C-alpha cells in the first residue's frame, strides 16, 4: 500500500505552480479593471489545482499501464513502480477530476456563467486523453498544445471572466505568457525523457523536434513571456516587476542550451515550475497595483 507521502509525491507537487500562476494573473487582470472578487478567485484556484492533480494521476496511470514509465529518470510514479495498484491511481485521478467539477459548478453559480460547465468538461477530457485512451494526443506531439490552451488561455482568461465579465488585453497577454512557460515546463520534462520516450514509442514534441531544437524552443518559451509581461506595462507600469525574472530566466536557459541531460535536468524542471509561479505572482500583483 502506498503511504501518504508517496501519494503526495505521485501528485507531482512541483507541477502545481502551473495551476496557480494563471489564476494569479487572471485575478490581477480583473483587479486592473476594478473587478476583483475573492470568492471566484479562490474557486478558480481550487478548480485549477484539482485539475492539475487529476491530470498528474491520470498520466501516472496511463503511462504506467502502457509501460512508458518503466525506465525513467525523475520523481516517483505510483503505477510503474508498483507502489499503488493501477485501479487506485485511476480512482485518484477521477476523484481529483470530480472535485474540480464540484468546485467548477460552484464557480459557475457564483459568477452566473453556466456555459463554462462545457469548458470545464472539455478541460477534464483533455486531461484524461493527454496520455489516456487508444490514441493519446500527448504521444503524438500535441501535449504542448493542450497545456497552452488549458493551463494558459482557459485558466487565465476564465479567471478574469468570472470576476470581470469580460476579457482584457493584459489578461490575454498574460495568458499567452504563462501558457508558454507551462509549455516550457512540459518541454524540459520531455527533453529529459527523450531516450526512454523514443524506446516506448512516445512521440512528444521534444522527440519530434530532436534534442537540439527542443532545447532552443525551451529557451524561447522562457524569454518571450517576460517580454509579453513588459508589454502589459502599457496598461499598468507596475508590470515592470517581472523584470526581476530576467536573471532567473538566463540561469534556467544556460544548462538546457549547454546540453544538460538526465538527472541534471531535474533542478531545471523544478526551477521552471518556480519561475512560472513567480511570473504569475509578479504579473498578477503588477496588474493589481
Amino acid at each position: 500500500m502506498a503511504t501518504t507521502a508517496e501519494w503526495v509525491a505521485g501528485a507531482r507537487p512541483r507541477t502545481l505552480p502551473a495551476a496557480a500562476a494563471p489564476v494569479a494573473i487572471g485575478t490581477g487582470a480583473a483587479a486592473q479593471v476594478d473587478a476583483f472578487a475573492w470568492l471566484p478567485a479562490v474557486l478558480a484556484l481550487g478548480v485549477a489545482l484539482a485539475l492539475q492533480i487529476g491530470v498528474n494521476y491520470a498520466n501516472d496511470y496511463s503511462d504506467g499501464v502502457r509501460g512508458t514509465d518503466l525506465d525513467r529518470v525523475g520523481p516517483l510514479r505510483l503505477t510503474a513502480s508498483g507502489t499503488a495498484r493501477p485501479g487506485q491511481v485511476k480512482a485518484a485521478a477521477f476523484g481529483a477530476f470530480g472535485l474540480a467539477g464540484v468546485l467548477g459548478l460552484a464557480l459557475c453559480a457564483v459568477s452566473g456563467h453556466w456555459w463554462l460547465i462545457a469548458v470545464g468538461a472539455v478541460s477534464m477530457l483533455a486531461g484524461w486523453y493527454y496520455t489516456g485512451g487508444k490514441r493519446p494526443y500527448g504521444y503524438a506531439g500535441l501535449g504542448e498544445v493542450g497545456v497552452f490552451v488549458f493551463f494558459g488561455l482557459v485558466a487565465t482568461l476564465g479567471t478574469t471572466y468570472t470576476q470581470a465579465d469580460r476579457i482584457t488585453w493584459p489578461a490575454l497577454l498574460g495568458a499567452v505568457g504563462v501558457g508558454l512557460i507551462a509549455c516550457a515546463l512540459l518541454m524540459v520534462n520531455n527533453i529529459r525523457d527523450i531516450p526512454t520516450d523514443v524506446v516506448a514509442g512516445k512521440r512528444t514534441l521534444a522527440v519530434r523536434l530532436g534534442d537540439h531544437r527542443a532545447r532552443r524552443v525551451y529557451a524561447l518559451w522562457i524569454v518571450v513571456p517576460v517580454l509579453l509581461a513588459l508589454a502589459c506595462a502599457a496598461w499598468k507600469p507596475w508590470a515592470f516587476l517581472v523584470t526581476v525574472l530576467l536573471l532567473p530566466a538566463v540561469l534556467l536557459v544556460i544548462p538546457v542550451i549547454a546540453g544538460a541531460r538526465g538527472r541534471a535536468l531535474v533542478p531545471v524542471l523544478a526551477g521552471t515550475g518556480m519561475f512560472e509561479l513567480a511570473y504569475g505572482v509578479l504579473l498578477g500583483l503588477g496588474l493589481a497595483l
Side-chain angles (χ1 to χ4, degrees):
M1 294 292 291
T3 65
T4 300
E6 288 169 335
W7 279 108
V8 171
R12 307 182 201 180
R14 290 179 178 177
T15 66
L16 296 185
V23 176
I25 295 171
T27 298
Q32 187 256 326
V33 291
D34 298 321
F36 167 72
W38 70 269
L39 183 54
V42 170
L43 290 172
L45 179 61
V47 170
L49 291 172
L51 278 175
Q52 181 68 64
I53 293 171
V55 169
N56 290 342
Y57 282 135
N59 292 348
D60 188 307
Y61 165 78
S62 297
D63 283 342
V65 297
R66 280 191 168 87
T68 308
D69 281 345
L70 291 177
D71 182 21
R72 70 183 304 279
V73 176
L76 173 73
R77 293 296 181 263
L78 295 165
T79 306
S81 67
T83 305
R85 292 191 298 272
Q88 292 176 315
V89 180
K90 185 177 182 180
F94 286 164
F97 285 142
L99 176 60
V102 171
L103 293 173
L105 286 173
L107 180 58
C108 290
V110 168
S111 67
H113 298 299
W114 290 99
W115 62 272
L116 290 174
I117 291 175
V119 176
V122 172
S123 299
M124 285 187 275
L125 288 173
W128 176 256
Y129 286 105
Y130 170 57
T131 55
K134 294 182 179 180
R135 294 183 178 180
Y137 65 89
Y139 280 52
L142 298 174
E144 283 78 3
V145 175
V147 165
F148 179 78
V149 170
F150 293 103
F151 287 99
L153 301 182
V154 171
T156 307
L157 301 180
T159 299
T160 301
Y161 189 75
T162 53
Q163 296 179 56
D165 295 324
R166 61 190 175 105
I167 301 301
T168 65
W169 278 108
L172 183 58
L173 291 171
V176 172
V178 78
L180 290 177
I181 301 174
C183 289
L185 185 64
L186 179 59
M187 178 64 81
V188 73
N189 179 78
N190 289 340
I191 289 171
R192 181 197 62 189
D193 293 342
I194 285 176
T196 54
D197 284 345
V198 169
V199 173
K202 189 175 181 180
R203 300 281 293 170
T204 64
L205 182 59
V207 171
R208 289 181 177 275
L209 290 174
D211 185 85
H212 182 76
R213 284 187 291 180
R215 291 172 184 273
R216 277 146 184 77
V217 169
Y218 169 84
L220 186 67
W221 286 346
I222 289 293
V223 174
V224 169
V226 178
L227 301 179
L228 292 173
L230 296 181
C232 291
W235 288 269
K236 270 300 182 76
W238 278 105
F240 278 117
L241 283 171
V242 180
T243 56
V244 303
L245 295 179
L246 288 173
L247 179 58
V250 171
L251 294 177
L252 286 172
V253 166
I254 286 175
V256 176
I257 295 298
R261 299 178 184 279
R263 293 191 182 278
L265 284 173
V266 173
V268 180
L269 181 61
T272 304
M274 294 310 298
F275 180 83
E276 182 174 6
L277 180 60
Y279 181 87
V281 170
L282 289 173
L283 182 54
L285 182 62
L287 292 174
L289 289 175

